[in-house]
Amino acid sequence: MKQQGLVMLMVTTFLSGCSFIHYTTVMNSPVVAAATQGEPDTTAAEKVVSAFHSDFNAENFEGIYTTAHSAFKATMTKDELLGVFQSKRAKLGKVVSSTKLDSHEKTVETKTSLVVSYSTTYENGSRKEVFVLGTDNEANSLIGWHLGTDPQKK
């Protein structure tokens, strides 16, 4: 019997101004997450992040939305998602530089995703970015984007 679940998109904004856009699946059974050992090959993921930054700088939020994972798009209206990106772009400005910090694979239920973290400098400050990318039949498509606080500040 196929298990049914509800996919929810969550946009969390903390007092510090950090935001996290992601989806989660709520099932009748507990969710079990596990990380695999070692660092996965992130060559394709790095291209996705580079394209994301190019689209973000060009304010091509429609392009980000179009290439996002279907689960991501199904949980928030297009206008809502575009509004979040517009707000972050207005606050932070363009991406000036970005350096990969780390990566790992994460498995929830039977779905595996690739999580890649970056230290990113914008025109108006620096932030830690975490990209969650699909590894299934929609490989290297955006499932989540976490925009944290300045990684240099403790």
Side-chain angles (χ1 to χ4, degrees), residues 97-101 117-121 127-129 151-152:
S97 65
S98 190
T99 304
K100 186 176 87 165
L101 299 173
S117 301
Y118 284 81
S119 174
T120 303
T121 302
R127 296 288 187 272
K128 179 178 180 182
E129 287 183 300
Q152 303 304 314

Side-chain angles (χ1 to χ4, degrees), residues 5 9 27 45 66 73 80 96 101 106 122 127 137 152:
L9 183 78
M27 306 295 283
T66 299
K73 292 190 281 190
E80 290 169 330
V96 175
L101 299 173
K106 180 178 178 182
Y122 294 88
R127 296 288 187 272
N137 59 348
Q152 303 304 314

Side-chain angles (χ1 to χ4, degrees), residues 60-78:
N60 180 17
F61 309 122
E62 177 106 16
I64 295 171
Y65 179 85
T66 299
T67 60
H69 195 280
S70 61
F72 186 76
K73 292 190 281 190
T75 55
M76 181 180 246
T77 70
K78 182 177 179 180

